[in-house]
Amino acid sequence: MKSKSLKYRNFISEISSWLLIFLFMYTAVSKLIDWEGTRSALYNQVFPVWMADILLFLIPAVELFLVIFLFSPSIRRYGFLFSIFVMASFTIYVGLVLTGIFGRIPCSCGGVISELSWMEHLIFNLVFLGIAVFGYWSVYRNDQ
């Protein structure tokens, strides 16, 4: 019975990691391909320009870093933890935009995700946050 449970958790870990790998690879590559569009989108956000300058380089780098961590089973646990942090940060930001706390709604993200409304973006982020949490849980349970 225990081996069936372990196989199930390994399956969850693999599926979760591949879904997150696809997400982070897609978003990083789309930001790099459309560098000027990404730059414009970041400058239209509600944070200061100096922060946009940092985030322009930092976000794709972090997303690619996450892909590497999620790809390797030996460090996947940390990939899931970092994914939880990143997805929670993005989700909180989208939630704050939806509350109207910033006084305006900035433009959305790039790529296919730009077609989502802010509410759809929140739901999308919550789903991927859940995938990261579930993936971490499956790896954490396997380590015990």
Side-chain angles (χ1 to χ4, degrees), residues 123-134:
I123 293 165
F124 179 88
N125 283 7
L126 287 169
V127 167
F128 275 91
L129 177 58
I131 289 169
V133 168
F134 209 50

Side-chain angles (χ1 to χ4, degrees), residues 10-127:
N10 284 337
F11 178 75
I12 291 171
S13 173
E14 284 296 317
I15 295 297
S16 298
S17 64
W18 281 104
L19 287 169
L20 290 165
I21 286 168
F22 178 75
L23 172 69
F24 291 128
M25 181 62 81
Y26 169 77
T27 56
V29 169
S30 70
K31 285 176 184 75
L32 295 173
I33 288 172
D34 186 16
W35 188 257
E36 284 304 314
T38 301
R39 186 173 181 266
S40 260
L42 281 171
Y43 286 172
N44 191 39
Q45 299 302 315
V46 295
F47 34 79
V49 172
W50 65 266
M51 190 180 288
D53 288 334
I54 293 169
L55 292 174
L56 181 61
F57 294 94
L58 185 64
I59 292 174
V62 166
E63 289 169 338
L64 293 172
F65 171 78
L66 285 169
V67 167
I68 293 167
F69 268 59
L70 290 163
F71 189 73
S72 174
S74 63
I75 56 175
R76 185 171 290 158
R77 179 182 194 182
Y78 300 106
F80 282 128
L81 276 175
F82 294 135
S83 296
I84 291 167
F85 174 76
V86 167
M87 290 308 301
S89 299
F90 290 160
T91 303
I92 289 167
Y93 177 71
V94 171
L96 289 173
V97 167
L98 284 170
T99 67
I101 197 168
F102 299 123
R104 71 180 180 90
I105 295 186
C107 65
S108 189
C109 296
V112 173
I113 297 171
S114 67
E115 300 299 319
L116 300 176
S117 71
W118 280 94
M119 183 56 77
E120 292 167 336
H121 198 148
L122 179 67
I123 293 165
F124 179 88
N125 283 7
L126 287 169
V127 167

